């Protein structure tokens, strides 16, 4: 609890520092760009109003909700029964904070004007201004270190004899450094806009041949389409998912695999996502596994039933025989499993991944596992599961993998961020998914549908 509070406070402080930093930056830009003081004031006022509106809409309900919850808890702890009227009692009775937090209001599964003009710009601004601020801090630190090193060098060399050092901070050089710093600190805003308007919706279709030497002959060339991490909501609408379903059907897979995170936080969105995914067609069936967000939204059982009503089978620690020409392959599926606490709403911590899955294995044929969390792969390979299909990471969602594979936030939770992996005993494919989480931005991690072609050779 204390740890959470400290992390949240640190993040809030960094956010505050970043906003102060950008207020200063924007002020100096406005000053240099607009000579007229009247227009400067008008622009400043417009920017201030927009900022306050966005901040109030997005942050105030959250902060007020937390504060009022605390107030209510303190009130309950201190008094056996309310003998006098307090703010906590008034607000509790009026259910005001539920209204402020938007509790009870269903998350839309289409793009609303609120999402487009109030949520998205705010999320873009907060995310990009934080990144820009961190880059500025790094730049500032590097500058300090360089200055200190030069000062020390001068002290040491001038102690013995006089030397003239070339000035690394000449006006021309300083201007260059300032411009570089400006370009780097503002780059996240441009990259964020690109990631929000273009890359987030720029679907890539990946093709992968998977070699399984003991694949039954009847399954030579068998095609599986994998879709993952839908996160239906205002930024991944039912309509957009319907478009992906159409694309997946156009790829003519023999079987379709849906590897979890159908919803994000709101249980009420499960109906819309099931409805639209019921459109996925494959002659050997549509199967799926559940993600961490089904667990956190508390919809694991209900969404499984909804899918079943629409002919889609969610495998929850179960297997399904896929039959063709008198031969079979073994399809397995597990719920989201975790070995370290993650996320705000409940956990399914397991002492060992894939406990009991070995009992579902079928010797002598191909075993294919649907598991949202790619971290189950090590155990799957130990069991000899030929192919694991996972999602969860969104391919990092916002990464700089094109510079270095280490520059991806998903590396904090798994070594298996995206793409194909192999180790003795099995193979893994981590699909980048199609939705987003946190911010509706993808960078260097476009959405993906994967088509696997199974082969013996
Ligand atoms: Fe996800």
């Amino acid at each position: 609890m204390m740890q959470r509070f400290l992390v949240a406070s640190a993040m809030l402080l960094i956010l505050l520092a970043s906003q102060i930093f950008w207020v200063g930056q924007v002020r100096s830009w406005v000053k240099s760009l607009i000579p007229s003081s009247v227009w400067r004031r008008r622009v400043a006022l417009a920017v201030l109003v927009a900022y306050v509106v966005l901040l109030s809409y997005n942050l105030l309900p959250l902060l007020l909700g937390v504060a009022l919850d605390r107030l209510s808890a303190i009130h309950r702890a201190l008094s056996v029964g309310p003998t006098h009227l307090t703010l906590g009692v008034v607000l509790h009775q009026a259910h005001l904070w539920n209204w402020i937090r938007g509790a009870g209001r269903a998350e839309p599964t289409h793009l609303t004007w609120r999402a487009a003009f109030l949520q998205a710009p705010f999320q873009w601004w907060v995310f990009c201004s934080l990144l820009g601020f961190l880059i500025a801090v790094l730049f500032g630190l590097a500058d300090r270190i360089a200055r200190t090193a030069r000062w020390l060098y001068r002290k040491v060399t001038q102690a013995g004899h006089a030397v003239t050092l070339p000035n690394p901070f000449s006006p021309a050089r300083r201007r260059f450094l300032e411009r570089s710093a400006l370009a780097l600190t503002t780059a996240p805003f441009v990259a964020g806009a690109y990631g929000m308007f273009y890359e987030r919706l720029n679907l890539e279709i990946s093709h992968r041949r998977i070699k399984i030497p003991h694949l039954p002959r009847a399954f030579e060339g068998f095609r599986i389409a994998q879709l993952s991490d839908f996160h239906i909501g205002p930024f991944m609408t039912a309509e957009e998912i319907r478009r992906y379903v159409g694309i997946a059907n156009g790829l003519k897979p023999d079987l379709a695999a849906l590897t979890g995170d159908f919803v994000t936080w709101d249980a009420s969105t499960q109906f819309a996502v099931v409805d639209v995914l019921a459109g996925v067609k494959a002659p050997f069936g549509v199967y799926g596994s559940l993600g961490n967000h089904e667990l956190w939204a508390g919809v694991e059982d209900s969404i499984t039933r909804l899918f079943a009503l629409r002919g889609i089978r969610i495998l929850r620690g179960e297997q399904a025989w896929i039959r063709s020409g008198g031969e079979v392959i073994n399809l397995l599926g597990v719920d989201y499993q975790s070995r370290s606490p993650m996320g705000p709403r409940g956990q399914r911590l397991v002492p060992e991944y894939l406990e009991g899955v070995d009992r579902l294995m079928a010797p002598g044929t191909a075993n294919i596992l649907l598991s949202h969390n790619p971290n189950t792969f090590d155990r799957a390979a130990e069991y000899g599961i030929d192919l694991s299909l996972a999602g969860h990471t969104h391919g990092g969602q916002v990464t700089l993998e094109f510079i270095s594979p280490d520059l991806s936030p998903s590396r904090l939770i798994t070594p298996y961020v995206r793409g194909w992996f192999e180790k003795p005993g099995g193979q893994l494919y981590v699909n980048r998914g199609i939705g987003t989480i946190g911010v509706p931005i993808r960078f260097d991690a476009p959405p993906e549908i994967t088509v696997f072609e199974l082969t013996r050779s």
Side-chain angles (χ1 to χ4, degrees):
M1 193 69 174
M2 193 61 184
Q3 200 182 358
R4 261 192 189 180
F5 175 75
L6 287 176
V7 170
S9 306
M11 283 172 71
L12 208 63
L13 277 178
I14 294 171
L15 181 67
L16 201 67
S18 72
Q19 299 311 288
I20 293 167
F21 169 80
W22 283 110
V23 165
Q25 287 291 315
V26 172
R27 210 168 144 237
S28 68
W29 290 338
V30 169
K31 243 182 183 174
S32 63
L33 287 172
I34 306 172
S36 154
S37 64
V38 177
W39 274 103
R40 265 209 307 269
R41 271 200 292 276
R42 284 177 184 168
V43 169
L45 188 68
V47 170
L48 187 71
V49 167
Y51 186 77
V52 168
V53 167
L54 291 181
L55 203 71
S56 316
Y57 180 82
N58 289 280
L59 224 51
L60 270 187
L62 189 76
L63 294 177
L64 274 177
V66 172
L68 292 170
D69 272 350
R70 289 282 164 274
L71 194 68
S72 172
I74 292 167
H75 179 261
R76 276 198 305 272
L78 290 180
S79 58
V80 180
T83 52
H84 60 283
L85 212 59
T86 66
L87 180 64
V89 175
V90 171
L91 292 170
H92 182 77
Q93 293 306 324
H95 296 289
L96 245 182
W97 73 75
N98 279 344
W99 178 81
I100 291 166
R101 283 184 302 178
R105 219 181 291 157
E107 189 181 20
T109 56
H110 59 277
L111 187 63
T112 60
W113 70 268
R114 282 184 192 190
F117 296 107
L118 293 174
Q119 272 175 265
F122 178 77
Q123 290 175 349
W124 167 80
W125 168 261
V126 167
F127 186 68
C128 299
S129 64
L130 259 177
L131 276 183
F133 173 67
L134 292 177
I135 292 171
V137 168
L138 285 178
F139 232 87
L141 274 177
D143 186 48
R144 287 276 147 193
I145 290 167
R147 280 168 182 273
T148 310
R150 183 168 182 268
W151 179 80
L152 279 173
Y153 182 71
R154 282 178 80 160
K155 281 277 170 205
V156 170
T157 50
Q158 283 176 355
H161 50 275
V163 283
T164 312
L165 285 172
N167 182 8
F169 298 104
S170 64
R173 198 164 179 156
R174 176 130 293 277
R175 258 198 312 279
F176 171 75
L177 284 174
E178 279 171 3
R179 280 179 190 164
S180 304
L182 181 70
L184 277 172
T185 49
T186 51
F189 294 98
V190 180
Y194 161 83
M196 181 178 278
F197 291 110
Y198 182 72
E199 183 162 325
R200 185 173 64 86
L201 302 169
N202 183 31
L203 180 77
E204 273 185 12
I205 296 161
S206 314
H207 295 267
R208 184 97 217 171
R209 278 167 72 85
I210 300 289
K211 188 179 165 189
I212 302 175
H214 49 271
L215 182 77
R217 287 190 189 281
F219 288 90
E220 179 65 35
F222 192 80
R223 286 153 56 82
I224 301 173
Q226 184 193 8
L227 293 88
S228 196
D229 295 79
F230 303 89
H231 293 288
I232 194 168
F235 300 113
M236 180 45 65
T237 63
E239 208 43 54
E240 190 62 23
I241 297 175
R242 189 166 286 120
R243 186 170 78 83
Y244 294 140
V245 167
I247 292 170
N249 288 342
L251 296 166
K252 304 260 179 267
D254 295 304
L255 182 143
L258 316 174
T259 42
D261 275 6
F262 302 101
V263 300
T264 302
W265 305 112
D266 188 343
S268 73
T269 59
Q270 62 183 315
F271 302 99
V273 74
V274 170
D275 195 44
V276 71
L277 287 176
V280 179
K281 300 292 174 213
F284 286 80
V286 182
Y287 294 85
S289 61
L290 300 176
N292 45 314
H293 281 271
E294 279 71 65
L295 172 68
W296 293 342
V299 300
E300 286 185 309
D301 295 337
S302 54
I303 204 168
T304 302
R305 283 195 298 271
L306 287 173
F307 271 127
L309 289 171
R310 308 301 294 267
I312 295 174
R313 186 169 166 199
I314 300 295
L315 299 172
R316 304 188 64 188
E318 300 168 84
Q319 68 184 135
W321 296 112
I322 310 298
R323 300 172 195 278
S324 177
E327 294 182 294
V328 294
I329 56 174
N330 188 26
L331 188 67
L332 310 152
V334 291
D335 290 350
Y336 171 76
Q337 302 181 353
S338 178
R339 294 210 57 207
S340 54
M342 180 193 160
R345 300 189 192 175
Q347 300 294 331
R348 181 173 294 118
L349 293 175
V350 290
E352 285 282 0
Y353 285 125
L354 304 182
E355 205 71 66
V357 168
D358 49 334
R359 289 194 292 273
L360 304 173
M361 300 260 310
T365 186
N367 288 277
I368 298 171
L369 171 70
L370 311 183
S371 171
H372 184 71
N373 188 351
N375 284 336
T376 56
F377 174 50
D378 293 343
R379 195 78 195 281
E382 282 170 21
Y383 283 153
I385 291 174
D386 301 285
L387 175 64
S388 294
L389 301 183
H392 191 43
T393 62
H394 302 190
Q397 194 172 309
V398 178
T399 81
L400 294 174
E401 287 231 355
F402 65 93
I403 297 173
S404 162
D406 292 327
L407 296 176
S408 169
S410 295
R411 299 264 160 210
L412 297 170
I413 57 166
T414 180
Y416 308 116
V417 172
R418 57 163 83 175
W420 180 77
F421 300 87
E422 184 181 34
K423 63 193 304 184
Q427 302 170 62
L428 163 72
Y429 193 88
V430 186
N431 181 289
R432 295 192 300 269
I434 62 173
T436 53
I437 182 82
V439 285
I441 292 174
R442 276 182 178 266
F443 190 80
D444 191 28
E448 174 184 20
I449 292 176
T450 321
V451 183
F452 304 96
E453 186 179 331
L454 307 185
T455 179
R456 292 165 64 90
S457 58

